[in-house]
Amino acid sequence: MQQHELEQLMADSAKDAVGTSRDMFNIELDYSAESIELIDSLLLAFIDRFKDQALEDNAVFTLCNIYGAYIGEVMRSLIGGSWRYDESDKTAPYVVLDVGEYSYAFAGICYERLVNDSQVSVKAYFDQALANNTQ
């Protein structure tokens, strides 16, 4: 995948997160740092609304990727960075946002909150990522 294709995919996925949030929950995501806090609530709202269906593999994959893309696009608008498709594990490739010396797996933190631990905060991860690059 070419870099410009990856960047377009992530921008389109972020737009999908905006549209899904508006259509499903009447919540507007505006690409601001403050809007990241809404992602924590939105991920749990999918479980409340769709119960076990929200945790099916396809749903989890889609939710984590669109909201991870949204978080990354907000980060890119604030401090830059570039998307990278990591294929180091051929059976489980993933996308990270590289900013300076750090890499952030925003889809991964969404997965943690959605599937493993509802106490994990997407917003706290985002805030730490910002702090790592603005000190």
Side-chain angles (χ1 to χ4, degrees), residues 29-49:
L29 297 177
D30 63 3
Y31 290 90
S32 68
E34 296 76 24
S35 71
I36 301 303
E37 190 170 352
L38 297 169
I39 306 300
D40 279 323
S41 301
L42 282 163
L43 291 171
L44 298 183
F46 275 98
I47 294 174
D48 289 344
R49 180 173 288 180

Side-chain angles (χ1 to χ4, degrees), residues 38-76:
L38 297 169
I39 306 300
D40 279 323
S41 301
L42 282 163
L43 291 171
L44 298 183
F46 275 98
I47 294 174
D48 289 344
R49 180 173 288 180
F50 298 105
K51 310 292 186 239
D52 291 341
Q53 288 177 321
L55 295 176
E56 291 176 359
D57 287 345
N58 285 344
V60 167
F61 178 82
T62 299
L63 290 173
C64 293
N65 281 299
I66 66 173
Y67 286 108
Y70 176 81
I71 297 163
E73 287 296 297
V74 171
M75 175 75 75
R76 280 173 31 106

Side-chain angles (χ1 to χ4, degrees), residues 1-10 83-85:
M1 178 179 297
Q2 299 291 322
Q3 186 63 32
H4 71 278
E5 294 172 317
L6 179 58
E7 289 176 9
Q8 187 61 56
L9 173 66
M10 299 311 282
W83 291 108
R84 178 172 47 90
Y85 187 67

Side-chain angles (χ1 to χ4, degrees), residues 77-135:
S77 75
L78 294 171
I79 60 172
S82 62
W83 291 108
R84 178 172 47 90
Y85 187 67
D86 189 315
E87 295 181 277
S88 55
D89 179 351
K90 296 289 185 198
T91 62
Y94 59 96
V95 176
V96 295
L97 182 69
D98 292 329
V99 182
E101 64 185 85
Y102 300 99
S103 296
Y104 301 102
F106 291 117
I109 197 67
C110 291
Y111 181 88
E112 283 297 311
R113 181 164 179 87
L114 187 64
V115 177
N116 293 332
D117 184 355
S118 64
Q119 298 304 305
V120 168
S121 172
V122 171
K123 174 74 164 123
Y125 184 85
F126 175 83
D127 288 346
Q128 184 60 56
L130 268 183
N132 288 347
N133 293 283
T134 56
Q135 295 177 0

